[in-house]
Amino acid sequence: MAVLKIQARIQCDGCGTNFLVDLDAAAMRPKGWSLYDQAVDAVRGGIYEVPRGGRHGGGCCSVQHGLCLCASCTKIVDEHTPDPNSKKQVKRALNRYVVPLGAGAA
Ligand SMILES: [Zn+2]
């Protein structure tokens, strides 16, 4: 048997949308890492897909100051914060420009 694909479903800390990242099935985890750590690492600079019925297309997700962000939120943060940014600047950009999942539904 060969394990072909291991995925983690992540909830974006910015907008709440769900997305899937692939974990490297062949990679060894660094000593002391949990499966959670490996999933967060997969978000870091990873390409992802959105589950059926998802809110937007795939893209490059990121981890910024401990926040796992989908491609849309990553783009918003990148556009509205300096490089390097602070956690406060990231949270301010998310609060100002991101519409949380479920908001705006009549
Ligand atoms: Zn998001």
Side-chain angles (χ1 to χ4, degrees):
M1 179 188 84
V3 176
L4 300 177
K5 193 172 194 176
I6 300 174
Q7 290 189 315
R9 182 183 294 258
I10 307 292
Q11 184 175 43
C12 176
D13 288 323
C15 67
T17 194
N18 290 342
F19 57 96
L20 301 171
V21 292
D22 290 341
L23 307 187
D24 187 348
M28 295 291 290
R29 275 192 294 219
K31 192 173 184 178
W33 273 30
S34 67
L35 192 56
Y36 178 86
D37 295 328
Q38 195 174 1
V40 170
D41 191 56
V43 174
R44 195 169 285 122
I47 305 292
Y48 70 85
E49 62 184 86
V50 176
R52 186 180 300 252
R55 191 165 159 187
H56 51 72
C60 290
C61 44
S62 68
V63 179
Q64 301 201 34
H65 302 285
L67 301 171
C68 291
L69 301 176
C70 70
S72 294
C73 292
T74 295
K75 188 174 176 201
I76 285 169
V77 167
D78 288 349
E79 285 176 359
H80 297 286
T81 63
D83 183 24
N85 57 28
S86 68
K87 186 170 189 173
K88 189 175 179 180
Q89 290 168 323
V90 169
K91 286 196 161 195
R92 188 182 309 135
L94 292 171
N95 287 338
R96 176 175 274 181
Y97 298 106
V98 171
V99 178
L101 195 63

